[in-house]
Amino acid sequence: MNPQARKDRLVIEELPEETLIYDQERHKAHCLNQSAAFVWSRCDGQTSVAGLAKALEDELGIPAAGETVRLALDRLGRAHLLEQRERAERGSPRYSRRRVVKTLAKLGFAVPMVISIVSPLSAQAASCITQAQCVSLLPPFCGGLPICTQQAKCCLQHNGKCKKRNCP
């Protein structure tokens, strides 16, 4: 089966060196570097993995393109940016992520990367957090958010850690 990029409920912003995608369904933001964005943009359901590899090698000059495409598809699938997550076909050669990364790094090429973060809902951004959420944050992200169970307590930085403190 040829890979198909997911397009529904996504907000896409293409920049010169990367592509930013906000998944409205999962409330996650993804940043695709150039090689991952290249692969994702060409996942049209018609182009095979071999076709993607050839295009990647021809247009970006990236070596080990077959393995690079498989790595990109794996990462795109984990981020839910493909209609269906790619599964290795029986008998197809396995790729080693470590080998792909080493090969690309030696030659100065970027490894396909998909960096994802969870985006809070607007209601969550303006509301309180739990004490457990507070202590799991790292400074400077504990910027005075109120603790839900105790109105007079806020999540503030103290001695290099985020802690429940009296609100200012």
Side-chain angles (χ1 to χ4, degrees), residues 44-60:
D44 56 8
Q46 306 299 315
T47 308
S48 67
V49 173
L52 292 169
K54 181 165 177 25
L56 187 65
E57 193 167 351
D58 291 348
E59 293 185 41
L60 296 183

Side-chain angles (χ1 to χ4, degrees), residues 29-47:
H30 307 283
C31 177
L32 282 58
N33 71 354
Q34 187 179 25
S35 54
F38 181 92
V39 171
W40 183 76
S41 69
R42 284 158 179 79
C43 288
D44 56 8
Q46 306 299 315
T47 308

Side-chain angles (χ1 to χ4, degrees), residues 57 75 96 103-105 115 147:
E57 193 167 351
R75 292 184 174 178
S96 162
T103 301
L104 294 175
I115 301 169
I147 304 293

